[in-house]
Amino acid sequence: MDCDVVVVGAGLTGSSAAWQLAVRGLSVTLLEARTIGHTDGSSHGTSRIYRRAYADPHYIQLTGRAQELWDELEDRSGTRLRTRTGGLDHGTERRPEALLTLMKEHGVPAELLTPGAASERFPGMEFAGPVLFHPDAGHLDADRTVRAGVDIAAASGARVVEQSPVTGIEQPADGVLVHTGDRTIRAGHVVIAAGPWLPELLPSIGVLPRLPRTWVTQQQVFHFRHRDPQAAWPTMVYKEGIQLFGLPSGADGGSTPAMKVAQHDGGTATTASGRDRVIDPASRETVTSWVRRWLPGLDPEPVAEASCLYTMTADEDFVIDRIGSVVIASPCSGHGAKFAPLVGSLVADLVQGGRADPRFAFRA
């Protein structure tokens, strides 16, 4: 065989899978259809939310496991990938009191603040009800994370091939044949981590007629400049009628301090190859109106805006499972970035014969 594993896609999932597999001693070929760090998918940018607050105990546990692997990735790469700011959760549908109970049950530090106490601690923000604060939240740099994973994989012997889209996959009796435009690679397994291209890629390469229970949406993100450039802002999740999130923008918002605020729900159905990148004016109005009302510490006129892609499932669970010698990984629904090193580990486990997490297994 040419290698033990071919990994298709070098975004957050593929790069994490590649370094996990390579450091375990497997020979790896990492294929990227474009260039490492491209901006067409869901793995680029300098600012993604990092948090442990979930209404689902399963995901709280997974954030703990992911945290250990983030530590390992930062140690191996010698690069700081996360910035802790603390995080807020509020809005009646976010149920801060219930979140506090779950966090305490799982040993995650958290406290409940009154609206006044929260506004006093975080000037520039207003609240209408109780607010959960947990200190172990912040943001991560997706661009650096992808680069760190690719570099570790390469240093551990992986072959990294850019500009190499996959055109077909066959599963003979002894492994897989992965076809690209100019070569065929024989391997023991293939990992398909193509992000929002998965739903359209899998039928075209002969793996599945469709990816179960998934679709792609185009979302919008907006960046708002701080009125006080020296102010320190936490991350936040809000759910009451609409669901929004906010976090420091990093370089994505320009050269002056800004906050990235976006609507998690909504979005427009699309495909990775058919997206139009046009910002929805209704989404812009929804987000800016919310910022104007609840975040007076920000200038409510966006200084930057962009579209992004979510690969959605109805229950917002991931899809990480194996079919024969093919492992498919879609840590999706807009909340997968914080789990990237863990997803890489789960994928490597499947390649080495492990069983899929029942929550992430294929189902109709």
Side-chain angles (χ1 to χ4, degrees):
M1 290 197 179
D2 299 315
C3 62
D4 295 321
V5 191
V6 173
V7 178
V8 179
L12 287 167
T13 296
S15 63
S16 294
W19 75 261
Q20 283 279 345
L21 289 160
V23 299
R24 296 186 190 192
L26 282 73
S27 59
V28 177
T29 299
L30 176 61
L31 301 178
E32 170 53 55
R34 291 162 175 76
T35 57
I36 304 298
H38 69 83
T39 61
D40 292 333
S42 300
S43 291
H44 60 280
T46 62
S47 182
R48 298 299 179 87
I49 201 164
Y50 176 88
R51 60 185 172 88
R52 298 204 60 192
Y54 270 86
D56 186 329
H58 190 64
Y59 281 95
I60 295 177
Q61 293 172 350
L62 292 177
T63 63
R65 293 170 59 189
Q67 186 167 263
E68 296 174 358
L69 289 164
W70 277 109
D71 292 342
E72 178 185 344
L73 180 56
E74 289 179 325
D75 287 345
R76 284 183 180 273
S77 66
T79 305
R80 190 180 77 163
L81 304 172
R82 299 165 294 170
T83 301
R84 284 181 172 81
T85 62
L88 306 178
D89 292 83
H90 63 114
T92 56
E93 295 174 64
R94 191 61 181 160
R95 302 180 63 205
E97 298 96 336
L99 278 177
L100 178 67
T101 299
L102 282 173
M103 300 283 272
K104 287 185 173 180
E105 288 176 354
H106 290 84
V108 181
E111 61 180 309
L112 198 67
L113 305 175
T114 66
S119 292
E120 183 177 353
R121 187 180 299 189
F122 303 105
M125 306 178 73
E126 294 186 359
F127 307 92
V131 180
L132 177 87
F133 173 74
H134 75 292
D136 197 10
H139 52 95
L140 63 92
D141 189 313
D143 289 339
R144 287 184 179 179
T145 300
V146 169
R147 189 74 259 171
V150 171
D151 287 349
I152 293 169
S156 301
R159 182 185 181 205
V160 180
V161 186
E162 299 178 276
Q163 303 286 2
S164 188
V166 171
T167 58
I169 292 177
E170 298 178 62
Q171 292 193 70
D174 57 342
V176 293
L177 297 174
V178 180
H179 303 290
T180 70
D182 60 356
R183 78 199 76 188
T184 294
I185 305 170
R186 181 179 293 274
H189 291 82
V190 61
V191 173
I192 305 179
W197 284 273
L198 270 170
E200 55 189 299
L201 176 65
L202 294 183
S204 71
I205 60 177
V207 174
L208 282 175
R210 65 183 180 88
L211 183 62
R213 61 194 173 92
T214 60
W215 65 96
V216 176
T217 63
Q218 180 173 268
Q219 313 287 136
Q220 286 74 221
V221 298
F222 304 91
H223 301 271
F224 301 89
R225 190 166 290 153
H226 293 194
R227 296 189 189 276
D228 176 4
Q230 304 304 315
W233 284 64
T235 65
M236 61 185 179
V237 175
Y238 171 88
K239 188 175 184 181
E240 186 171 329
I242 57 174
Q243 186 169 353
L244 298 101
F245 62 91
L247 63 158
S249 295
D252 294 350
S255 59
T256 58
M259 282 288 286
K260 171 182 171 181
V261 184
Q263 189 175 350
H264 175 74
D265 50 7
T268 304
T270 188
T271 63
S273 60
R275 64 186 296 191
D276 60 15
R277 298 180 185 267
V278 175
I279 303 301
D280 180 2
S283 178
R284 183 191 294 114
E285 176 58 28
T286 295
V287 174
T288 56
S289 295
W290 191 87
V291 168
R292 187 175 291 109
R293 170 64 183 87
W294 297 107
L295 301 178
L298 301 178
D299 182 334
E301 293 302 317
V303 294
E305 57 188 23
S307 68
C308 62
L309 297 177
Y310 281 5
T311 309
M312 295 296 299
T313 62
D315 53 13
E316 298 195 4
D317 273 345
F318 303 158
V319 180
I320 306 171
D321 204 353
R322 183 181 63 226
I323 303 172
S325 297
V326 178
V327 175
I328 297 173
S330 181
C332 40
S333 299
H335 68 116
K338 70 183 70 65
F339 296 100
L342 174 62
V343 171
S345 179
L346 295 176
V347 166
D349 290 344
L350 287 175
V351 168
Q352 294 187 306
R355 300 184 63 181
D357 182 324
R359 285 282 294 272
F360 303 157
F362 292 128
R363 56 185 188 271

